[in-house]
Amino acid sequence: GLRCTIKKAVLPLKKKLYMKRRGFTLLEILIVSGLVVTVISCLFLLYLSYGRTSGEQTKEQEYYQKMAQLEARLKQDLRSAVALKREVDGVYTLETIRLSQAGTPEKKVVVYWVDEEGYGVERFDAESGERRVWDFSGVLEEGKRFVFEIEI
């Protein structure tokens, strides 16, 4: 019986303490709002930096992919070149000899040059009329021009 009377006496005291405090104080609301704003701003900054980084990586990957394609084609032409002439700044003419589909040697003239805007390299096969462009305009830094040179 003693135990029951103690519990009954404590319960009304707890109810009175909880009944007095129905809401939050202004200080508590300000602290929680400050924490929420800080967390949201940190998450937003993290999102922005991730977006910028992934965009830069994509540009870099595109640049190296185009460079590898250009380098592979140029190496192929240089391996079969019998003459290389520098016409003017950034314009190179290669005379190549390759085997035709019939197995006979075939002479070709291939010209490489930096395009008019200075953002890429063009290759022109004089015999077939085939023209290939490696455009670096979207991957070069603003105001930078593409430099293309073949050492003779």
Side-chain angles (χ1 to χ4, degrees), residues 26-127:
L26 181 59
L27 183 60
E28 290 171 332
I29 292 172
L30 288 175
I31 289 173
V32 169
S33 343
L35 289 173
V36 167
V37 166
T38 304
V39 168
I40 290 174
S41 62
C42 287
L43 289 174
F44 183 69
L45 290 174
L46 185 67
Y47 170 76
L48 287 179
S49 69
Y50 173 74
R52 235 181 287 127
T53 303
S54 68
E56 290 168 3
Q57 286 176 345
T58 304
K59 277 186 173 182
E60 194 173 315
Q61 287 172 345
E62 186 181 344
Y63 172 80
Y64 285 115
Q65 183 179 13
K66 287 181 180 184
M67 278 300 279
Q69 291 171 355
L70 172 61
E71 184 180 8
R73 187 58 199 224
L74 185 59
K75 280 181 179 180
Q76 182 182 5
D77 286 336
L78 287 172
R79 281 188 195 114
S80 61
V82 291
L84 172 62
K85 184 177 177 188
R86 182 179 182 167
E87 303 293 337
V88 291
D89 243 8
V91 179
Y92 300 92
T93 302
L94 286 87
E95 290 181 23
T96 64
I97 295 182
R98 293 193 184 150
L99 291 178
S100 68
Q101 290 180 349
T104 58
E106 190 176 80
K107 187 175 180 181
K108 284 189 170 190
V109 176
V110 179
V111 182
Y112 282 90
W113 70 90
V114 176
D115 68 359
E116 294 173 9
E117 293 85 27
Y119 293 121
V121 175
E122 295 186 35
R123 176 191 182 272
F124 180 72
D125 185 333
E127 278 71 32

